[in-house]
Structure formats: structure tokens, C-alpha cells
């Protein structure tokens, strides 16, 4: 750790401790087996005392985790006091099937949905079904016809890879809000400037709704690099050099450096007026919990 900081003396800044606690929210994915289920619920129990605004649960490619997503969301709603949020996509389902899932969530007490177009399994290009929702705008409109859901949608600070242009991408985001979305949660990014420039472009387009920065705290450096490459996320040169220097280091060193890097990212955002953070937890509590503490968020008994 000392070597890393010595070689990167300006990489880490002091954590942000504002006058008031920031708003936070967490994202999980449904567990695949008993061991993963145990890890997930240990993380939920550890993070719940931080009193997030909500906890969301993802929906696998092509709806592959539909039942596990529902089971996880309803358990969060049943066993915690934190609002539970279900992800829902347009992939491999008709409008009637998706509407039935949404009604089921409403009947189960779930009032907030993350509405996404989604991606097919195997990296295939999305093709709307003739009887399905064609995109997130149509999905938001459909959900609003069913019940007065609170709806979050996705946004892309570095532009969706299938968008015609950055301007077209923001115009499509505006259409999601016009259809009834409440807020947008950004794809993760690795440079504060990327999000801040995006925030400025969104405001210039006349969008006044909340834009939550998606934060990816992970000690899996090689995994983070793969995710960034697959999502078209730019890796800043300094961070890239740091990642290379960590490749053969001890996991505990990677975890400490990862926390320092992500804390620095959040601190930069906070100094620019960002007071809400959405953490992609990867079903692990350690780094996310520490980051929330550094941001000034204290647990409640």
C-alpha cells in the first residue's frame, strides 16, 4: 500500500465530510446458489443500518433471473425497513407478460421499478418482439398505465454504445422523463469529470430530474477492467497505470487501493455539489460500507 501511494502521491484526496449526510442507495443481483444467497443477505444486513433510500435488485440478461429477482426483492421488502426496488426489462417477453410481472410487484407492495430496455444473453443485439415493448420509453409508459410506480431509468455519461450520437442519447433520456420516469441512475464511470460534463449537458438539454451517479466499488481490478472494456467506459491513464501495478499484488492491497480510488472519485463529485450516490455493491458490503462512512453516512441502530 505504501508503495502504491508513494508512486501516486496525488491520487488520493481527503474524504468528503459535508455538513449533512449524503443520500445513498444500493444495487444487488439475485444469488445463484446457497453460498451466494448467504453472502447477499450478510451484505444486506450490514448495509441496511446505513438507511439507504432504496435497495434495488437486477434482472438478468433476457429475464434469466426473473424468479430470483422477485424472491430477493420481496424478501428485502419483507425483512427490512428499506424500500425494495425491482429491475424490469423488455427482453424476451411480451407486453402482457411484463404487465403481469409489474402488477404482481404492485400487489406485493413494490412501488419502485428500475425500467430498462435490457440486453439479450450472449451479447446479441437487442431486437424488440412484435408483441413486446420496443424500448425503455415504451416500458415506462406501460408501467405508468398499470400503477403510479416510482420509476428509475438508466443514463450513460459516456453515451450508450448503440446511440447515434451523444446528443441523441440525451434526447432519448429526455423522452424517458417525458414518459413518466422519476430519476436516472448512471452507468458506472471512472472519472469525475465524465459525470460532471454529462450533468452539464443534461441540464443544458432542459432536464431537471435527478441524475444519480452510479459508483462501482470493487477490489477485483481485472474484473473492473473487463467491465469497463465491455461497457465502453474510459479508464483514465493514471488509473490504468495503477491497475497494472496491482495485477500481482495481494488481494488486501487491491481492496485498500480500490477503496481509496473510489473514495477520491466520490469526494471530487461531492465537492461539485453531488449529494446522492448509487453503489453497485456486487453483493459485497465491505468497501461500500467503508465508502459510505467516509462520505459521512453513519449507521442507525
Amino acid at each position: 500500500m505504501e508503495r502504491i501511494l508513494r508512486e501516486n502521491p496525488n491520487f488520493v484526496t481527503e474524504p468528503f465530510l459535508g455538513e449533512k449526510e449524503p443520500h445513498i442507495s444500493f444495487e444487488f443481483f439475485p444469488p445463484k446458489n446457497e453460498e451466494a444467497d448467504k453472502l447477499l443477505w450478510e451484505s444486506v444486513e450490514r448495509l441496511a443500518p446505513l438507511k439507504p433510500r432504496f435497495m434495488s435488485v437486477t434482472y438478468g440478461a433476457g429475464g434469466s433471473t426473473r424468479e430470483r429477482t422477485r424472491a430477493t426483492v420481496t424478501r428485502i421488502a419483507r425483512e427490512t425497513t428499506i424500500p425494495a426496488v425491482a429491475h424490469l426489462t423488455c427482453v424476451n417477453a411480451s407486453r402482457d407478460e411484463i404487465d403481469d410481472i409489474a402488477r404482481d410487484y404492485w400487489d406485493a407492495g413494490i412501488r419502485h421499478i428500475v425500467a430498462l430496455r435490457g440486453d439479450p444473453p450472449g451479447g446479441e443485439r437487442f431486437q424488440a418482439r412484435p408483441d413486446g415493448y420496443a424500448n425503455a420509453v415504451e416500458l415506462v409508459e406501460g408501467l405508468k398505465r398499470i400503477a403510479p410506480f416510482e420509476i428509475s431509468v438508466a443514463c450513460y455519461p459516456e453515451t450508450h454504445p448503440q446511440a447515434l450520437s451523444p446528443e441523441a442519447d440525451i434526447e432519448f433520456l429526455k423522452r424517458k422523463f417525458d414518459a413518466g420516469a422519476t430519476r436516472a441512475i448512471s452507468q458506472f464511470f471512472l472519472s469525475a469529470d465524465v459525470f460532471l460534463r454529462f450533468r452539464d449537458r443534461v441540464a443544458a438539454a432542459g432536464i431537471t430530474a435527478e441524475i444519480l451517479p452510479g459508483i462501482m466499488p470493487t477490489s477485483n481490478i481485472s474484473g473492473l477492467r473487463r467491465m469497463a472494456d465491455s461497457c465502453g467506459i474510459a479508464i483514465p491513464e493514471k488509473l490504468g497505470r495503477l491497475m497494472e501495478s496491482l495485477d500481482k499484488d495481494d488481494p488486501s492491497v487491491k481492496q485498500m487501493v480500490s477503496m481509496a480510488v473510489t473514495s477520491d472519485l466520490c469526494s471530487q463529485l461531492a465537492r461539485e455539489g453531488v449529494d446522492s450516490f448509487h453503489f453497485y455493491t456486487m453483493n459485497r458490503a465491505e468497501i461500500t460500507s467503508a465508502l459510505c462512512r467516509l462520505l459521512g453516512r453513519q449507521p442507525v441502530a
Side-chain angles (χ1 to χ4, degrees):
M1 179 68 173
E2 292 178 359
R3 173 179 62 79
I4 297 297
L5 296 180
R6 186 169 62 250
E7 294 175 357
N8 300 272
N10 299 317
F11 204 89
V12 180
T13 61
E14 293 183 2
F16 170 75
L17 293 173
E19 295 181 358
K20 61 179 182 179
E21 294 183 349
H23 301 294
I24 57 174
S25 52
F26 302 130
E27 181 174 300
F28 302 95
F29 57 84
K32 295 181 179 179
N33 53 46
E34 186 174 341
E35 181 180 355
D37 185 69
K38 182 174 183 293
L39 177 63
L40 167 64
W41 288 102
E42 287 175 350
S43 297
V44 169
E45 290 171 358
R46 183 169 177 178
L47 293 172
L50 291 167
K51 294 299 179 185
R53 296 165 72 185
F54 58 84
M55 291 181 174
S56 70
V57 183
T58 63
Y59 199 71
S64 56
T65 65
R66 179 183 302 176
E67 294 306 319
R68 286 186 280 125
T69 296
R70 186 190 186 285
T72 305
V73 169
T74 53
R75 184 176 175 187
I76 290 174
R78 185 173 64 249
E79 298 185 15
T80 78
T81 59
I82 310 302
V85 181
H87 287 222
L88 191 57
T89 76
C90 306
V91 181
N92 288 345
S94 68
R95 293 182 187 87
D96 289 342
E97 289 171 330
I98 293 172
D99 291 354
D100 286 343
I101 294 170
R103 291 188 188 94
D104 181 53
Y105 277 132
W106 185 266
D107 292 342
I110 306 302
R111 298 293 185 260
H112 184 173
I113 287 180
V114 177
L116 308 164
R117 187 203 70 181
D119 296 303
E124 300 173 11
R125 190 175 181 87
F126 175 82
Q127 291 290 336
R129 283 178 44 158
D131 61 347
Y133 289 113
N135 51 49
V137 172
E138 290 189 6
L139 178 57
V140 171
E141 291 172 341
L143 292 172
K144 283 296 187 179
R145 284 194 295 267
I146 291 168
F149 284 107
E150 180 178 351
I151 299 177
S152 295
V153 293
C155 62
Y156 303 87
E158 294 172 84
T159 305
H160 192 283
Q162 295 174 15
L164 296 176
S165 67
E167 294 75 20
D169 200 32
I170 290 181
E171 179 59 30
F172 192 73
L173 174 62
K174 190 174 187 299
R175 288 178 58 196
K176 296 179 192 178
F177 287 122
D178 291 342
T182 309
R183 74 180 55 78
I185 302 172
S186 87
Q187 187 177 58
F188 82 95
F189 51 90
L190 300 173
S191 166
D193 286 344
V194 165
F195 180 81
L196 296 172
R197 287 196 298 268
F198 175 73
R199 185 181 66 172
D200 290 344
R201 289 190 288 119
V202 166
I207 297 173
T208 59
E210 180 182 30
I211 308 292
L212 287 182
I215 306 297
M216 178 71 77
T218 175
S219 59
N220 186 339
I221 300 300
S222 59
L224 181 62
R225 187 185 293 119
R226 285 194 303 273
M227 283 189 290
D229 289 343
S230 66
C231 297
I233 306 301
I235 300 176
E237 183 179 353
K238 183 186 294 185
L239 179 57
R241 292 198 305 268
L242 182 59
M243 286 178 168
E244 290 177 3
S245 72
L246 288 170
D247 275 342
K248 297 181 180 179
D249 254 309
D250 184 87
S252 62
V253 174
K254 294 179 181 180
Q255 186 171 32
M256 286 188 290
V257 173
S258 176
M259 185 173 70
V261 167
T262 314
S263 174
D264 181 58
L265 175 64
C266 293
S267 296
Q268 292 179 58
L269 294 173
R271 286 194 293 272
E272 295 294 332
V274 176
D275 63 0
S276 297
F277 301 86
H278 182 74
F279 291 98
Y280 299 111
T281 69
M282 306 304 290
N283 288 13
R284 305 194 69 93
E286 296 89 347
I287 297 179
T288 300
S289 177
L291 285 168
C292 290
R293 301 292 190 91
L294 288 170
L295 283 166
R297 190 75 184 184
Q298 300 302 320
V300 177

